[in-house]
Amino acid sequence: MRKAKDFTSEEIKKILDWLLSQRLRNYGYDWRDFKRLSNYASKLRRKIRQNYDSLVISEKVKAGDFMNGRLEIENNQVHYTTGQSFNEEYINLMAEILERINVYNRRQWLS
């Protein structure tokens, strides 16, 4: 597997802006499950907004190995290759980014 390239601060801004602009899609979820996912995503987006500047300058965040290299910037656009469900992977990607600056612990929030 290839080493994913590290991101610049400008690329991290593009990624964070892209994450903040995304919304979940209900493509067959039970309404309770979709509401749970939506609430979870909303909390993570809030954390990203609150920690935006810290995320942009963090060297750990700039290390570009998110989700096994499936997050990339090509032609000045953010591209994410979805493996299974975009909703779950979107949430996992936000969680992974926030964990790198220690403002989020996935194990605590899941309980």
Side-chain angles (χ1 to χ4, degrees), residues 3 14 35 37 42-43 47 86-87 104 107 110:
K3 158 98 170 74
K14 285 186 189 309
K35 184 159 179 63
L37 286 173
S42 178
K43 288 177 186 179
K47 283 278 190 196
F86 175 80
N87 292 343
Y104 170 79
R107 285 137 206 80
L110 289 177

Side-chain angles (χ1 to χ4, degrees), residues 22-111:
Q22 299 301 304
R23 293 298 175 255
L24 301 183
R25 292 164 192 86
N26 189 350
Y27 43 81
Y29 289 99
D30 174 88
W31 70 269
R32 284 185 224 60
D33 291 335
F34 186 71
K35 184 159 179 63
R36 179 183 51 81
L37 286 173
S38 296
N39 287 338
Y40 196 35
S42 178
K43 288 177 186 179
L44 292 169
R45 281 192 296 271
R46 186 176 320 115
K47 283 278 190 196
I48 287 175
R49 281 191 296 275
Q50 291 169 347
N51 295 282
Y52 190 92
D53 293 334
S54 299
L55 289 164
V56 169
I57 63 172
S58 171
E59 291 303 318
K60 288 182 179 178
V61 173
K62 290 179 186 177
D65 55 346
F66 296 114
M67 305 295 281
N68 297 320
R70 292 186 287 167
L71 176 68
E72 297 178 356
I73 293 196
E74 295 175 3
N75 300 325
N76 217 18
Q77 297 282 326
V78 176
H79 294 281
Y80 183 77
T81 305
T82 304
Q84 293 280 328
S85 162
F86 175 80
N87 292 343
E88 281 98 6
E89 290 192 21
Y90 167 66
I91 288 169
N92 287 336
L93 179 58
M94 288 191 293
E96 183 178 340
I97 289 172
L98 289 166
E99 282 179 329
R100 292 190 181 196
I101 62 166
N102 298 319
V103 296
Y104 170 79
N105 182 338
R106 202 178 320 209
R107 285 137 206 80
Q108 286 180 334
W109 276 33
L110 289 177
S111 57

